[in-house]
Amino acid sequence: MPPASPAIVRTVADLRAQVAAWKAAGDQVALVPTMGALHDGHLTLVKLGQTRARRTVASVFVNPRQFAPHEDFDAYPRGEALDAEKLASVGCDLMFAPTPEAMYGQGFSTSIQVAGVSEPLEGAARPQFFGGVATVVAKLLIQCQADFAVFGEKDYQQLQVIKRLVADLDLPVEIIAAPTARAEDGLALSSRNAYLTVEERQIAATLPRVLHEAAQAVAHGGRIDEAEAAGKAALSAIGFGQIDYLEVRQALDLSRLGPGPMGQAQGRILVAAWLGKTRLIDNMAV
Amino acid sequence: MPPASPAIVRTVADLRAQVAAWKAAGDQVALVPTMGALHDGHLTLVKLGQTRARRTVASVFVNPRQFAPHEDFDAYPRGEALDAEKLASVGCDLMFAPTPEAMYGQGFSTSIQVAGVSEPLEGAARPQFFGGVATVVAKLLIQCQADFAVFGEKDYQQLQVIKRLVADLDLPVEIIAAPTARAEDGLALSSRNAYLTVEERQIAATLPRVLHEAAQAVAHGGRIDEAEAAGKAALSAIGFGQIDYLEVRQALDLSRLGPGPMGQAQGRILVAAWLGKTRLIDNMAV
């Protein structure tokens, strides 16, 4: 029987002491950074980490620095006890749940920017986002000193930003990318799905289908601009509101492709669209 | 007899392998980041590191990212063989001399900013400087994984910026501050002193004396604005050109003090002034 909950630590010193003890015993460590509100998608990240490292740590921290003032920081779902239970159910060894004060102490003044890959798409729609992400992820990686860190492809641009960050700062950690976990009807699992009404939840399931069709069209030699336009039209027709972007981009640096056929490039199609008051994102390989 | 030169490594992998071997043997490691052109001031940093750690590493890297296009990056003095000899003379164990390509690989996109303490004084005179310093120092600290890193008080604002950086990013290293090494006549040792003509070198020696007098005036209850004005006037009278700043500031965050008496604050007086084509800096406790 798994334990009722993993050990919970709240300070960097306690986190490092546990990680150091594991390493001294010859065990490798995988970190799964999360903002809590854990769902099965997060748990697949933990399980993937377990395939590479004997020990897994999940951090749970709703990072104020990656939310703009008008965004949903206060409303973002939180539930530590339930998060701990779910982590225990998959055998996660440790939950690191620091307070905002522990992460951003008095006089905190440092910020990390990753130019280029962070600028389009989410970076354009949410100018504060990736600076906040890069800073907190760098801190978590340095705090934990894990051998591996697992990030989901659901946040695909974030994954590429973090890979760039880790390479540029020589952080001694291997980034593991986890395929997007999806509900039976195909919707990508997301903590923000909890915001959807029943009706919106049904409409939301068309998002991956539309994305898949557009990806197929481009993969079969279709023009990128036409596939993007058709995808947006389909989303609007089914009931989506504002579409922040629906674009086929180069898969690693997210530079522009098109407007014609993709040719030999490695592509990724990415979307962010609103359904009522909820903003959904998804992406697929092309 | 000391060896003719310390071992030289040029890649992060080689650096980490050596540091890991030392740590595995139970030895602590102190890093002394430099831009080469080593003088006795640098060697006192190595010696200070040796009082805390069994093993010392000096990095030698003229960091292009902390020079503005009009500054002296190309002219900055370089001489690796002589640097290696000097390091050997004090028993430094390892010289890390990466190429610019090894430090900033293809697609490098990450920058680190430390707000607040980096903004006045050197930050105002050299807007590119501390961003470049913070980024390269973070990289060096992460690359080396040293237990200690030694920085000179000669670059006092840099020292405070780095302390802030290390605290904010939770870098697992203790920063050691080394008092400024001075020539017999009091001039702070600096690689840029090599630019001075014989006549300028004589005038330069008045810089610490003027600074000391101003510090004494403030320490004895004098007004800060008057001490600053008297110091600047003295420098101009003796032959200095542009004075970028001569200011008494709060010692840790470098916020403004004055214009009246300092009261109970911990102060630091800092100066940057030009002598011909050479820019000199110095500072003292108040």
Side-chain angles (χ1 to χ4, degrees):
Chain A
M1 226 182 96
S5 75
I8 299 179
V9 293
R10 302 196 182 276
T11 69
V12 175
D14 287 347
L15 173 66
R16 281 198 179 135
Q18 179 61 79
V19 170
W22 285 333
K23 287 188 173 183
D27 291 342
Q28 288 192 299
V29 180
L31 172 68
V32 181
T34 83
M35 296 211 301
L38 301 182
H39 50 64
D40 287 349
H42 296 107
L43 302 185
T44 66
L45 304 184
V46 174
K47 289 177 201 163
L48 187 59
Q50 288 166 337
T51 67
R52 302 293 298 277
R54 174 93 194 279
R55 299 295 187 173
T56 49
V57 178
S59 64
V60 173
F61 181 64
V62 185
N63 176 34
R65 285 175 186 259
Q66 70 192 65
F67 290 80
H70 65 277
E71 291 182 337
D72 58 345
F73 174 72
D74 289 328
Y76 198 85
R78 290 167 172 85
E80 185 177 289
L82 197 55
D83 288 341
E85 242 176 67
K86 288 179 178 172
L87 291 173
S89 75
V90 292
C92 182
D93 297 287
L94 190 68
M95 176 166 155
F96 175 48
T99 60
E101 296 71 32
M103 288 296 279
Y104 302 117
Q106 189 170 11
F108 186 93
S109 309
T110 300
S111 61
I112 302 182
Q113 301 292 332
V114 180
V117 64
S118 74
E119 291 167 14
L121 308 174
E122 289 298 294
R126 307 177 66 190
Q128 188 160 350
F129 182 62
F130 283 121
V133 167
T135 305
V136 80
V137 169
K139 279 178 65 76
L140 288 167
L141 294 176
I142 292 167
Q143 289 168 344
C144 187
Q145 311 264 298
D147 304 284
F148 306 95
V150 190
F151 293 87
E153 288 186 344
K154 160 74 167 23
D155 296 291
Y156 184 83
Q157 188 177 9
Q158 170 178 282
L159 173 66
Q160 302 308 318
V161 169
I162 289 166
K163 284 182 174 176
R164 184 79 257 167
L165 170 79
V166 165
D168 287 354
L169 293 186
D170 312 285
L171 289 163
V173 63
E174 181 183 335
I175 300 300
I176 301 173
T180 302
R182 297 183 181 278
E184 276 191 20
D185 62 5
L187 180 66
L189 300 188
S190 166
S191 304
R192 290 190 172 101
N193 292 351
Y195 298 157
L196 297 170
T197 65
V198 172
E199 189 190 4
E200 287 170 347
R201 175 64 188 77
Q202 287 184 318
I203 298 173
T206 61
L207 189 63
R209 286 177 229 157
V210 168
L211 216 53
H212 182 69
E213 275 170 34
Q216 288 290 102
V218 172
H220 290 100
R223 289 182 59 86
I224 286 174
D225 53 1
E226 287 172 7
E228 291 173 348
K232 289 183 198 175
L235 292 180
S236 297
I238 199 81
F240 279 85
Q242 179 177 317
I243 299 166
D244 285 346
Y245 56 81
L246 187 161
E247 294 187 26
V248 177
R249 293 257 173 175
Q250 201 280 337
L252 294 181
D253 64 14
L254 298 179
S255 57
R256 278 191 187 285
L257 294 177
M262 194 174 71
Q264 297 306 307
Q266 292 272 7
R268 196 90 188 175
I269 187 164
L270 306 100
V271 67
W274 291 80
L275 203 50
K277 291 177 177 172
T278 307
R279 186 173 183 273
L280 299 175
I281 63 173
D282 202 350
N283 69 88
M284 290 174 189
V286 181
Chain B
M1 227 182 95
S5 76
I8 299 180
V9 293
R10 301 197 183 277
T11 69
V12 175
D14 287 347
L15 173 66
R16 282 198 178 135
Q18 179 61 80
V19 170
W22 285 333
K23 287 188 173 183
D27 290 343
Q28 289 193 297
V29 180
L31 172 68
V32 181
T34 83
M35 296 211 301
L38 301 182
H39 50 64
D40 287 349
H42 296 107
L43 302 184
T44 66
L45 304 185
V46 175
K47 290 177 200 163
L48 188 58
Q50 288 167 336
T51 67
R52 302 293 298 276
R54 173 92 194 279
R55 300 293 187 174
T56 49
V57 178
S59 64
V60 172
F61 181 63
V62 185
N63 176 34
R65 285 173 187 261
Q66 70 192 63
F67 291 80
H70 65 275
E71 291 183 335
D72 58 345
F73 174 71
D74 289 328
Y76 197 87
R78 290 166 173 86
E80 185 177 290
L82 196 55
D83 287 341
E85 240 176 69
K86 288 179 178 171
L87 291 173
S89 75
V90 293
C92 182
D93 297 286
L94 190 68
M95 176 165 154
F96 175 49
T99 60
E101 296 71 32
M103 288 296 279
Y104 302 116
Q106 189 169 9
F108 186 92
S109 309
T110 300
S111 62
I112 301 181
Q113 302 291 332
V114 179
V117 64
S118 73
E119 291 167 14
L121 308 173
E122 289 298 293
R126 307 177 67 191
Q128 187 160 352
F129 181 62
F130 283 121
V133 167
T135 305
V136 79
V137 169
K139 279 177 66 75
L140 288 166
L141 295 175
I142 292 167
Q143 289 169 343
C144 188
Q145 311 263 300
D147 304 285
F148 305 94
V150 191
F151 292 87
E153 289 186 343
K154 161 73 166 26
D155 297 290
Y156 184 82
Q157 189 177 9
Q158 170 178 283
L159 173 66
Q160 302 309 317
V161 169
I162 288 166
K163 284 183 173 176
R164 185 78 256 168
L165 170 78
V166 165
D168 287 355
L169 293 187
D170 312 285
L171 289 163
V173 63
E174 182 182 334
I175 300 300
I176 301 172
T180 301
R182 297 182 180 280
E184 277 191 20
D185 62 5
L187 179 66
L189 299 187
S190 166
S191 303
R192 289 190 171 102
N193 292 351
Y195 299 155
L196 297 170
T197 66
V198 172
E199 189 190 5
E200 286 170 347
R201 176 64 189 77
Q202 288 184 317
I203 298 172
T206 61
L207 189 62
R209 285 177 229 158
V210 167
L211 217 52
H212 182 70
E213 275 171 35
Q216 288 290 102
V218 172
H220 290 100
R223 289 183 59 87
I224 286 174
D225 53 0
E226 288 173 5
E228 291 172 349
K232 289 183 198 175
L235 291 180
S236 297
I238 200 79
F240 279 86
Q242 180 178 318
I243 300 166
D244 285 346
Y245 56 82
L246 187 162
E247 293 186 26
V248 177
R249 293 256 174 176
Q250 201 281 336
L252 294 182
D253 65 13
L254 298 178
S255 58
R256 279 192 187 284
L257 293 177
M262 192 173 71
Q264 297 305 307
Q266 293 272 7
R268 196 89 188 176
I269 187 164
L270 305 100
V271 66
W274 291 80
L275 203 48
K277 292 177 177 173
T278 307
R279 186 173 184 273
L280 299 176
I281 63 173
D282 202 349
N283 69 89
M284 290 174 189
V286 181

